[in-house]
Amino acid sequence: MKQLLLLRHAHAEETRPGLADIDRVLSPRGRAEALDAARSIGGAGLQCEAVLVSPAVRARETATIVAAELDLVVGLSFEPALYLGNPDALLAPLRRCPSGLKTLLMVGHNPGLSELAQRFNGAAPAIELRTAGLCAITFAAEAVWGELRPQWATVITLLR
C-alpha cells in the first residue's frame, strides 16, 4: 500500500503592501495549526519517507514545523510546481519520486491541493482543505508514483 498525504499550509499572516504573496509567513494561529497537523500524522501512525514542499514561506514553515515535531530524518524537497499549481502541476514532482517510497507528504496551497484530492475522490462529496487541512489518500500496493490514476485510490481520509 502507498499513501499520499496532502497538507495545506497553515494559516498565514495577511498580505501587506510591498510583501509578495510567496513571502507571507505563518501567523501564531498557523504555527499552532502546523503542530496539530503533525500530531494528526503521528497519531495516525504514518511515517513520511519524502516531503515535497511549495517554495512559499508559509508552506516551508508549515513543513519545517511538521518535520521537527515528527523527528523526520528526510530532507524537505522544495518544488516550484507546488506554488499555486493546478492538479496536473502538483502531480509532476510526485511522478519523479522513486517507486519504492511508501508514504509521501506534499505541503502546498489551495485550490490545487483540494482539487487534486477531489480528482482521486471522484464523485464523492467535495474535499475542501482548510488551513493545515490534511488528507491521506491510500493507493493499491502496485501503484507507481509516476503513473498515479484515480482508480488506484482505495481510501481517502480527512485527518484534519
Side-chain angles (χ1 to χ4, degrees):
M1 145 175 96
K2 293 189 176 173
Q3 290 188 301
L4 173 60
L5 306 178
L6 301 178
L7 174 61
R8 181 179 173 196
H9 67 79
H11 186 266
E13 292 184 349
E14 297 300 320
T15 302
R16 297 187 319 262
L19 179 68
D21 178 69
I22 199 167
D23 294 326
R24 291 173 46 217
V25 299
L26 292 182
S27 66
R29 173 182 136 196
R31 288 189 286 281
E33 287 177 345
L35 278 172
D36 188 52
R39 292 176 183 134
S40 294
I41 293 169
L46 300 168
Q47 301 291 322
C48 301
E49 297 172 301
V51 184
L52 307 176
V53 185
S54 161
V57 172
R58 59 194 180 274
R60 292 186 347 230
E61 287 181 328
T62 299
T64 300
I65 290 168
V66 169
E69 182 69 16
L70 295 174
D71 292 324
L72 296 182
V73 295
V74 300
L76 305 179
S77 177
F78 300 108
E79 299 285 346
L82 300 185
Y83 179 60
L84 306 179
N86 64 33
D88 290 329
L90 299 180
L91 285 172
L94 188 63
R95 289 188 168 130
R96 293 191 303 270
C97 290
S99 60
L101 295 178
K102 301 270 188 238
T103 303
L104 301 175
L105 172 61
M106 180 180 285
V107 183
H109 310 267
N110 264 357
L113 282 181
S114 289
E115 290 171 357
L116 181 60
Q118 190 60 43
R119 181 178 286 185
F120 290 113
N121 198 33
I127 294 174
E128 182 65 32
L129 297 174
R130 59 189 173 149
T131 56
L134 178 63
C135 176
I137 304 169
T138 303
F139 297 95
E142 64 272 10
V144 177
W145 296 115
E147 301 172 5
L148 285 184
R149 308 233 181 316
Q151 61 269 26
W152 288 353
T154 57
V155 177
I156 298 179
T157 308
L158 287 175
L159 299 173
R160 183 181 189 293

